[in-house]
Amino acid sequence: MIGASSIRKEGRAKVLGTAIYTDDKFMPGALHGLTVRSEVPRGILRAIHFGEGIPWEEFTCVTAEDIPGTNLVASVVDDQPFLIGIGEEITHSQQAVLLLAHPDKFLVEKARRAVRLEIEELPAVLDIQSSLDLQPLIYGTNNLLKEIRIAKGDPDPIWAQAAHVIEGEYRTGAQEQMYIEPNAMLSVVEPRDGLLQVTVWGSLQCPYYVHGALRQLFGLPEKQVRVVAMEMGGAFGGKEDYPSVNGGHAALLAWKSGKPVRLIYDREEDLACTTKRHPSRTRLRTAFDAEGNLLALEADFILDGGAYATLSPVVLSRGAVHAASVYRCPHVRIHARAVATNTPPPGAFRGFGAPQSLFAMERHMDVCARKLGLDAVELRRKNFLHMGDTMATGQVIREDLDLAGLMDQALAAIGYRDKRAAFALTNPGDGPIKRGVGFSVFMHGCGFTGNGESHVASVAGVEGLADGTVAVLAASTEMGQGKNTVFAQIVAEALQLPVELVDTAPVDTDHVPNSGPTVASRSTMMVGRILEDAAIGFKLALVQQGFLVEPYTPESFQAAVVKAVATLGTLRCYGQYHRPPNIQWDDVTYQGDAYPTYSWACYAAEVAVDLDTFEVKVADFVAVQEVGRVVNPTLAAGQIEGGVAQGIGWGLWEEVTMQRGRMINNQMTNYIIPTSVDLPRIQVVFLENAHAGGPGGAKGIGELPMDGPAPAVVNALENALGALRLDEVPMTPDRLLERCEEVSHG
Amino acid sequence: MAECIDLNLKVNGTEYRASVHPFARLLDVLREDLRLTGTKEGCGEGECGACTVLLNGRVVNSCLVPAVQAQGAEVVTVEGLAEGENLSSLQAAFLTHNGAQCGFCTPGMLLSATDLINRCPNPSDDEIRDGLAGNLCRCTGYAKILDAVHSAAEREAAR
């Protein structure tokens, strides 16, 4: 069970083409919904004009005035309206103003083009620096969506004393999740027993986020709102917070029309208006002694948070905590800010702020090694965290941590020393191909940052079914990561049953408890642990009620469940998250255990750069990680390989091009993700070190592989091309050419 | 609404007749008129390959095929790959090797891979990469898909 590569639970339906995704759900008489958006980055909405030639009387139209409850999307900060009303301020180019629905999808598209918005334009803030300079002020009193300070020791006296002080500035671009299934929602709103019942079926990661948003939007109690997660065609964070917006839009149209409504985005709309990874700028200042020991670190970490706060405070929080990376440092000061701009709000994307700050630190370590005249491997080895060391937040490492061992294994697997030596001989030659090898060492905090788990207080459970099998009751969603299978394995292990006897219940808020959102590498470790407890409680209850006698066989267990269900009816057992007593966190000072534990990794990349075209090919890639005990090796390797692919894409190719606050390459044709010919085979190595807090010893895994590839690849580029200003991702051919020209032009 | 056109086509061996919108795409006919929703729409511009089907034996993006061009044609979709309860070699291999994660690219990927193995029974890694280059996957990094295609090709060769 745990440790076995069990076959994906919903895999058969997926290969047969019978898995039902949102747009596959048959709903007779459904209207097609569409959203009319602002198109200018900032201004006051003065009027909505409905053009001629459209039978408007056949349409359902929803504006802000129609909203029955609160016109604010429930999130970390409730500052984003579902729709902008007349006289209100438009704050980004994709702001929803009007919703339309009609039975004819061709006509509804024609109608969208016939709507003209009268907007009095205002000056907009479109980049980080303008926001910091308050040019102009667009949000609150200082354009800051969130500000965090983390302090350890006092770096100030160190700068003057240190043998070396090295500064650097690093930037990362926005990145599109590019799930292959665009955002999709269906809704029905109808009276049931005299009460309004709002139902949404959708492609969504967090059913209870959408549930909360709908309750606030309609002003309804819990029981009158139902959210069902359909099969999901990828998410990667892109369906974490946005579904509260489009789920609300679909429900508003269904409510006003009295008919089922489909709100299925096409790719261009999805790319233009939904959330992306936050662009970042990080300034680092580090002090070293003569031997290369890290004495002080100062980080100024800034995220472009877009027009509304949404999830930016928590993305910033994770990014800030990861900014000091895996290094022991006595004096640390981290100043983190998420700034407002008039751009569509970014949101969650695998890694959640950590890839941005880790890119900066892992690039900076290579830059420091060069400037100190030290080997990048040895500089890291000298400064790694070990058991007993404290991190920037004062968190003490309580596990047997061997980062040097991880690093050595990754470097040996890619042949780091031999390749460096060989490339040093071949690169000076005349040929256009230059080769390099580089690496990064990093960690990813498992579960929510700080007190997040305590606030959510997740509940999950198991249910005995009439046929004697066991169902998992959790609101965690399957987005391809393997949740259905891993949860079944954890419960099967706890009950000592074959995994075939455990399956997942449909993720429907009418049926499953709130096990929290499907985010933050928390499902396996946090929800899995609750399920392990619930399963053990379920078994004990069966024994105590006299239905089951230990030791038992799967057959006798199944028979016991059949009998118990026949006797007692519904047979459910729940568990709830309880904060372990040794985990302490202070939200105000940012001191304490930022995460219950971390996953650790070293990734190494070999690149080949063609100086005729400035194309970069990743020729080899090694991913060595310690993620606790691996529940399902095949699924886990799939997570790593897929995450590495996204990380390489972010590092080299994936560029969101903005013009007047709007993404202009919002097509798959010109936003480039890796294809099957662009990636090498990725060597995946798991070092298992069971974590007592996770089910069967498991830790989090989903986001980790996003953090390491970009700095590893760019560090390899430096090895191939020498000291260039390789301070930004994606390092596209254009950007690489520019950096090479800087050197050749002096 | 514009006048509909009558369309006759054979999908997965079954004859269908449908009255469709003149601008409908083959993808719309499959999904909406025939309710064969295994074929997916990911981009609507022929880039992602999620809508890949076989049209008269050739791999096409069904989002780029006007329905009128499928008049009288034979179409194979993901629903036509299994024989009853028995998965095709490729479907079985995708299942065993975790070639499907979110599963949204899988139907199109399976059709392209089916075509590849028909043309090239013992493909190398590079031949598989070329054969599947028109099908984007965001979950797997393609490694498990390569494994699945190799395994299915070997199984087919052994038959």
Side-chain angles (χ1 to χ4, degrees):
Chain A
M1 288 146 285
I2 287 185
S5 285
S6 303
I7 297 292
R8 176 180 292 280
K9 283 281 180 186
E10 78 291 355
R12 189 175 165 88
K14 284 177 171 172
V15 300
L16 283 168
T18 56
I20 302 298
Y21 299 78
T22 304
D23 194 26
D24 302 339
K25 186 175 168 64
F26 185 54
M27 209 168 253
L31 306 181
H32 295 274
L34 266 188
T35 314
V36 180
R37 300 175 188 279
S38 71
E39 294 186 353
V40 304
R42 184 160 177 252
I44 305 294
L45 179 65
R46 292 299 177 199
I48 301 172
H49 298 287
F50 294 82
E52 289 180 4
I54 303 290
W56 289 111
E57 68 284 358
E58 296 173 9
F59 279 78
T60 300
C61 303
V62 173
T63 66
E65 286 177 13
D66 294 309
I67 289 176
T70 307
N71 186 13
L72 286 174
V73 182
S75 186
V76 173
V77 179
D78 292 4
D79 62 349
Q80 178 177 214
F82 282 95
L83 292 169
I84 291 291
I86 305 292
E88 292 177 347
E89 186 177 330
I90 282 164
T91 62
H92 67 84
S93 71
Q94 299 300 316
Q95 196 125 39
V97 169
L98 169 70
L99 305 169
L100 300 175
H102 190 277
D104 181 347
K105 70 174 178 182
F106 295 96
L107 189 57
V108 77
E109 178 55 45
K110 196 173 161 192
R112 169 160 65 180
R113 292 180 203 167
V115 175
R116 190 174 63 81
L117 303 179
E118 195 178 315
I119 299 168
E120 179 190 329
E121 276 203 65
L122 294 171
V125 169
L126 299 175
D127 60 78
I128 286 173
Q129 194 56 52
S130 307
S131 184
L132 289 171
D133 295 342
L134 309 184
Q135 294 300 324
L137 178 69
I138 58 163
Y139 192 98
T141 57
N142 55 11
N143 280 352
L144 294 188
L145 303 168
K146 176 76 178 175
E147 183 171 25
I148 294 168
R149 292 176 192 275
I150 300 175
K152 178 189 178 193
D154 181 8
D156 287 336
I158 310 299
W159 310 118
Q161 305 163 11
H164 306 276
V165 175
I166 300 168
E167 299 185 20
E169 178 177 306
Y170 305 89
R171 289 170 183 267
T172 64
Q175 185 185 20
E176 163 58 33
Q177 294 89 357
M178 202 64 98
Y179 31 73
I180 307 295
E181 177 205 29
N183 269 285
M185 289 287 165
L186 306 179
S187 180
V188 171
V189 179
E190 57 195 359
R192 191 196 296 165
D193 305 329
L195 296 173
L196 197 67
Q197 182 75 30
V198 176
T199 307
V200 162
W201 294 263
S203 185
L204 48 92
Q205 286 174 243
C206 313
Y208 278 93
Y209 278 4
V210 180
H211 190 264
L214 292 170
R215 282 171 59 195
Q216 183 164 305
L217 172 63
F218 285 91
L220 290 176
E222 200 175 316
K223 289 207 174 326
Q224 283 171 254
V225 174
R226 177 182 169 212
V227 176
V228 184
M230 303 296 290
E231 200 70 68
M232 190 162 20
F236 316 111
K239 295 166 183 174
E240 174 171 343
D241 52 324
Y242 197 81
S244 297
V245 179
N246 59 331
H249 288 166
L252 284 170
L253 283 168
W255 165 72
K256 188 149 183 211
S257 67
K259 294 186 174 144
V261 169
R262 319 177 73 82
L263 186 63
I264 315 294
Y265 286 180
D266 65 21
R267 182 60 65 181
E268 289 189 24
E269 179 174 27
D270 191 296
L271 292 188
C273 75
T274 70
T275 58
K276 314 240 172 320
R277 184 182 306 289
H278 291 69
S280 78
R281 185 191 84 188
T282 309
R283 289 179 176 159
L284 296 175
R285 189 181 193 201
T286 45
F288 294 90
D289 69 12
E291 284 73 46
N293 293 300
L294 182 59
L295 302 178
L297 164 67
E298 199 168 60
D300 178 35
F301 177 59
I302 301 179
L303 296 178
D304 178 346
Y308 298 105
T310 63
L311 291 175
S312 291
V314 278
V315 174
L316 186 74
S317 181
R318 184 177 286 269
V321 169
H322 285 72
S325 189
V326 292
Y327 304 105
R328 184 184 56 221
C329 184
H331 302 283
V332 182
R333 181 182 296 139
I334 296 165
H335 184 203
R337 287 169 286 177
V339 301
T341 58
N342 294 115
T343 56
F349 189 167
R350 194 179 210 164
F352 209 72
Q356 289 95 319
S357 58
L358 286 168
F359 170 76
M361 191 59 188
E362 279 307 287
R363 262 307 286 148
H364 190 67
M365 285 302 276
D366 264 37
V367 170
C368 289
R370 168 161 46 81
K371 292 190 171 172
L372 294 168
L374 292 173
D375 183 296
V377 177
E378 297 317 313
L379 178 66
R380 285 181 174 81
R381 191 187 306 280
K382 215 181 263 289
N383 289 293
F384 279 141
L385 289 165
H386 295 93
M387 183 150 60
D389 287 336
T390 52
M391 304 173 85
T393 62
Q395 177 164 9
V396 178
I397 302 285
R398 297 193 191 92
E399 55 194 293
D400 185 10
L401 179 61
D402 180 19
L403 289 165
L406 266 175
M407 176 175 71
D408 289 338
Q409 187 157 349
L411 298 182
I414 205 159
Y416 181 83
R417 296 280 174 210
D418 291 348
K419 281 179 178 166
R420 284 231 160 191
F423 300 157
L425 295 175
T426 55
N427 281 341
D430 290 337
I433 309 293
K434 308 296 176 194
R435 295 178 191 278
V437 58
F439 67 100
S440 60
V441 187
F442 56 99
M443 83 296 205
H444 199 90
C446 304
F448 283 130
T449 310
N451 291 326
E453 292 296 341
S454 299
H455 291 316
V456 174
S458 300
V459 176
V462 296
E463 178 172 11
L465 302 180
D467 65 357
T469 62
V470 176
V472 173
L473 304 174
S476 313
T477 49
E478 176 65 55
M479 53 189 118
Q481 83 279 37
K483 176 272 308 183
N484 289 342
T485 316
V486 164
F487 280 4
Q489 287 180 259
I490 290 167
V491 169
E493 174 92 11
L495 296 176
Q496 291 301 303
L497 295 177
V499 73
E500 291 71 27
L501 293 184
V502 185
D503 207 345
T504 194
V507 178
D508 175 338
T509 56
D510 271 4
H511 191 66
V512 297
N514 187 357
S515 61
T518 318
V519 304
S521 309
R522 65 181 291 277
S523 298
T524 299
M525 187 173 114
M526 309 307 297
V527 184
R529 180 55 195 260
I530 300 168
L531 287 170
E532 193 178 61
D533 289 349
I536 290 166
F538 179 75
K539 181 180 74 178
L540 284 176
L542 285 175
V543 171
Q544 283 169 4
Q545 297 291 314
F547 292 104
L548 183 67
V549 178
E550 294 189 276
Y552 54 82
T553 63
E555 293 72 25
S556 63
F557 185 92
Q558 212 173 347
V561 173
V562 169
K563 196 171 165 201
V565 173
T567 313
L568 302 172
T570 305
L571 200 67
R572 291 178 178 181
C573 186
Y574 295 102
Q576 183 163 28
Y577 171 79
H578 295 289
R579 183 171 55 83
N582 59 341
I583 304 273
Q584 300 293 339
W585 175 255
D586 186 326
D587 278 328
V588 177
T589 61
Y590 264 71
Q591 287 296 300
D593 301 300
Y595 299 93
T597 187
Y598 297 79
S599 291
W600 310 92
C602 177
Y603 285 5
E606 179 191 341
V607 299
V609 189
D610 183 336
L611 287 183
D612 288 337
T613 62
F614 289 87
E615 271 184 301
V616 177
K617 188 164 180 58
V618 179
D620 196 4
F621 200 99
V622 173
V624 178
Q625 48 260 306
E626 190 270 280
V627 294
R629 188 150 170 236
V630 177
V631 178
N632 183 316
T634 300
L635 294 183
Q639 284 290 288
I640 303 301
E641 289 157 348
V644 167
Q646 290 177 354
I648 292 173
W650 185 52
L652 290 176
W653 305 305
E654 297 185 30
E655 177 138 54
V656 173
T657 307
M658 301 293 281
Q659 202 173 73
R660 290 196 72 226
R662 186 181 190 284
M663 180 182 185
I664 55 167
N665 58 329
N666 57 326
Q667 292 172 275
M668 279 183 159
T669 318
N670 46 19
Y671 180 90
I672 306 301
I673 67 167
T675 73
S676 52
V677 297
D678 298 322
L679 297 168
R681 286 269 186 177
I682 293 149
Q683 300 179 51
V684 179
V685 179
F686 291 112
L687 302 179
E688 299 195 65
N689 184 9
H691 167 61
K699 299 202 285 199
I701 188 172
E703 294 171 288
L704 179 80
M706 186 68 225
D707 297 340
V713 165
V714 180
N715 285 339
L717 286 176
E718 176 167 321
N719 179 230
L721 301 174
L724 304 175
R725 193 169 57 84
L726 299 171
D727 55 356
E728 188 172 0
V729 287
M731 194 47 74
T732 56
D734 286 3
R735 212 164 261 138
L736 196 53
L737 167 64
E738 190 186 292
R739 300 302 200 268
C740 287
E741 284 179 341
E742 283 176 1
V743 173
S744 54
H745 298 163
Chain B
M1 192 181 279
E3 264 184 55
C4 288
I5 53 167
D6 288 326
L7 187 71
N8 294 289
L9 73 174
K10 190 188 250 186
V11 182
N12 303 329
T14 305
E15 298 277 2
Y16 289 92
R17 170 172 295 203
S19 178
V20 305
H21 191 282
F23 296 149
R25 308 163 298 174
L26 175 57
L27 175 63
D28 301 325
V29 174
L30 293 171
R31 289 184 52 83
E32 293 166 22
D33 297 283
L34 310 186
R35 302 248 308 274
L36 293 169
T37 55
T39 306
K40 306 301 183 197
E41 175 162 7
C43 70
E45 58 176 9
E47 197 66 34
C48 76
C51 67
T52 304
V53 299
L54 300 182
L55 178 68
N56 293 328
R58 290 181 51 219
V59 166
V60 295
N61 287 311
S62 61
C63 75
L64 296 184
V65 178
V68 290
Q69 285 187 4
Q71 187 71 267
E74 282 198 36
V75 178
V76 178
T77 71
V78 67
E79 289 93 344
L81 295 180
E83 287 176 30
E85 286 295 295
N86 297 324
L87 300 179
S88 75
S89 299
L90 270 165
Q91 287 172 311
F94 268 63
L95 186 56
T96 333
H97 291 272
N98 193 30
Q101 285 193 24
C102 84
F104 207 76
C105 75
T106 306
M109 199 68 85
L110 284 167
L111 267 302
S112 290
T114 301
D115 172 66
L116 170 71
I117 293 186
N118 287 343
R119 287 186 286 112
C120 177
N122 184 24
S124 67
D125 254 21
D126 282 348
E127 284 167 329
I128 300 173
R129 290 178 190 282
D130 281 343
L132 302 181
N135 293 79
L136 296 177
C137 169
R138 190 58 153 169
C139 295
T140 63
Y142 305 98
K144 300 285 185 270
I145 292 173
L146 299 184
D147 292 346
V149 175
H150 280 300
S151 156
E154 282 161 21
R155 195 169 135 186
E156 283 294 305
R159 270 161 66 144

